Amino acid sequence: MKSILKILKWTGIVLGALILILVVFVNIRSYRTYDAPLPDLSASQDSAVIARGKYLAFGPAHCASCHMPMDKFSEIEKGLEMPLVGGWELNIPPGSFRAPNLTPDMETGIGSFSDGQLARALRYSVRHNGKALFPFMPFQNMSDEDVIALISFLRSQPAVKNNLKETELSFLGKAISAFGLIKPEGPITTPPVSVEIDSTITYGEYVANSVANCKGCHTMRDLKTGAYTGTAFAGGMAMESDPMIENLSFVTPNITPHSTDGVMAKWDEATFINRFRAGRVHKGSPMPWGAFSRMTEVELKALYRYIQSLEPVANKVMKTVLNSGESLAG
């Protein structure tokens, strides 16, 4: 009996030591920094460039959907244009993520950051301090001209002081970072210098994948790491309720042109454009309908034509809106 107790004692000591080592490792390693390149892209004072950046921020790139106070959500959706002072908060298992102040305030905003640091955040998901960003901004393959346009618009805003709490990672989030599951993600190929804005499939592909993040939501992914686990654009990603969702959860639909499973398979171009112009149906839908309703007709035509060109994928999403506590199977 004594020998068994001794074994249990030492087993407990070893396990405790291993847990302590793991906790220390995670807490130290999660703060590591990365040496990603600083893109040689500089802000412009050209009014046309700034206008393009503003259009992207309040339109297809939907920066304003996160980088604003939560109590301004409805006004932003209806077209209010205000400095991007940050404040949106998202609570998911890896932590509490808070969108920062993007105005040029020197203390609480981006005023002390270089253009290269801002471009690096967009291109490589690396913050000004070298830490990795979680994959909320899929702009790695955005054209040089559009990255410059966004930075130029951000610089053109009035500087607004807005002290915000930093993003706080849970132990899970720290572990994900410590073990390299979240790390800088660079461009797939050399990003284009510019992209011709027209109603072609090519431009629609650019908008869907490099600007509007259609793929990021309409593809199943692991919400702990952001890794894709399903076929692109086939839907099925469940999004838990948050304060704006009124006890509803949402599942992204399959938007490939599958004849029975694709939600838009039978839509014509006019139906697609009219749906985007109509805006939000559910108050808390994670789709940034307000921003997307302001996309140009040329852009919407390009997006429609690209989506219709996708390979049809069989993936039936039975329900896209779930009541509180309701499962996908129910």
Side-chain angles (χ1 to χ4, degrees):
M1 184 67 179
K2 288 184 178 180
S3 60
I4 294 175
L5 290 174
K6 188 175 182 180
I7 291 171
L8 291 174
K9 175 184 175 181
W10 280 106
T11 299
I13 291 173
V14 170
L15 286 175
L18 289 174
I19 291 171
L20 179 60
I21 291 170
L22 175 64
V23 170
V24 172
F25 171 82
V26 165
N27 277 286
I28 293 176
R29 186 71 170 169
S30 64
Y31 290 101
R32 62 177 167 168
T33 58
Y34 295 88
D35 186 23
L38 293 171
D40 186 19
L41 302 174
S42 301
S44 168
Q45 294 185 343
D46 185 285
S47 60
V49 175
I50 293 172
R52 170 68 177 173
K54 181 178 180 180
Y55 167 72
L56 290 171
F58 286 96
H62 54 280
C63 310
S65 296
C66 291
H67 291 277
M68 51 85 183
M70 295 184 76
D71 62 0
K72 295 294 183 182
F73 176 80
S74 296
E75 289 93 328
I76 293 289
E77 281 281 297
K78 294 174 182 176
L80 173 68
E81 295 180 354
M82 60 174 287
L84 303 185
V85 298
W88 183 262
E89 183 172 325
L90 177 66
N91 295 302
I92 55 178
S96 296
F97 295 87
R98 302 180 181 98
N101 181 354
L102 294 185
T103 75
D105 181 65
M106 294 296 293
E107 295 179 20
T108 67
I110 61 171
S112 62
F113 304 164
S114 70
D115 291 342
Q117 287 174 323
L118 295 177
R120 184 177 63 178
L122 296 172
R123 277 277 164 81
Y124 294 97
S125 297
V126 174
R127 298 180 62 195
H128 64 284
N129 57 13
K131 294 180 182 178
L133 287 163
F134 270 63
F136 295 119
M137 299 189 300
F139 303 133
Q140 288 84 1
N141 299 287
M142 183 178 278
S143 73
D144 289 350
E145 285 189 356
D146 280 347
V147 170
I148 290 171
L150 275 175
I151 295 172
S152 301
F153 164 65
L154 296 180
R155 295 287 194 211
S156 75
Q157 301 175 102
V160 179
K161 189 177 297 296
N162 189 26
N163 285 299
L164 298 167
K165 290 180 67 176
E166 285 269 336
T167 286
E168 296 173 289
L169 297 180
S170 64
F171 183 77
L172 172 63
K174 291 179 180 179
I176 289 170
S177 296
F179 288 101
L181 298 176
I182 293 296
K183 56 187 176 182
E185 181 180 346
I188 298 172
T189 59
T190 301
V193 173
S194 62
V195 177
E196 184 178 356
I197 300 173
D198 55 26
S199 57
T200 62
I201 289 173
T202 299
Y203 184 62
E205 179 179 13
Y206 171 73
V207 173
N209 292 288
S210 302
V211 180
N213 196 27
C214 307
K215 177 184 175 182
C217 287
H218 287 278
T219 307
M220 288 185 68
R221 61 198 305 183
D222 185 339
L223 291 181
K224 296 182 178 66
T225 65
Y228 290 106
T229 59
T231 305
F233 301 101
M237 186 171 78
M239 300 184 183
E240 296 297 327
S241 299
D242 69 26
M244 297 301 299
I245 291 182
E246 301 177 311
N247 297 317
L248 297 176
S249 295
F250 296 84
V251 184
T252 55
N254 180 348
I255 59 173
T256 72
H258 190 275
S259 59
T260 58
D261 297 355
V263 69
M264 299 189 324
K266 295 181 174 60
W267 290 16
D268 60 17
E269 194 172 85
T271 302
F272 179 83
I273 293 173
N274 289 338
R275 175 62 195 93
F276 272 75
R277 291 283 181 257
R280 183 173 299 279
V281 173
H282 294 285
K283 177 182 177 182
S285 167
M287 179 90 159
W289 283 110
F292 288 169
S293 71
R294 291 186 280 278
M295 291 171 66
T296 66
E297 186 165 317
V298 167
E299 213 150 54
L300 289 173
K301 285 182 177 180
L303 191 56
Y304 172 80
R305 291 169 187 178
Y306 169 64
I307 291 171
Q308 290 299 311
S309 76
L310 295 170
E311 186 72 25
V313 179
N315 183 41
K316 188 68 173 178
V317 178
M318 300 303 296
K319 298 183 71 173
T320 58
V321 182
L322 307 177
N323 293 316
S324 179
E326 186 178 8
S327 69
L328 285 174

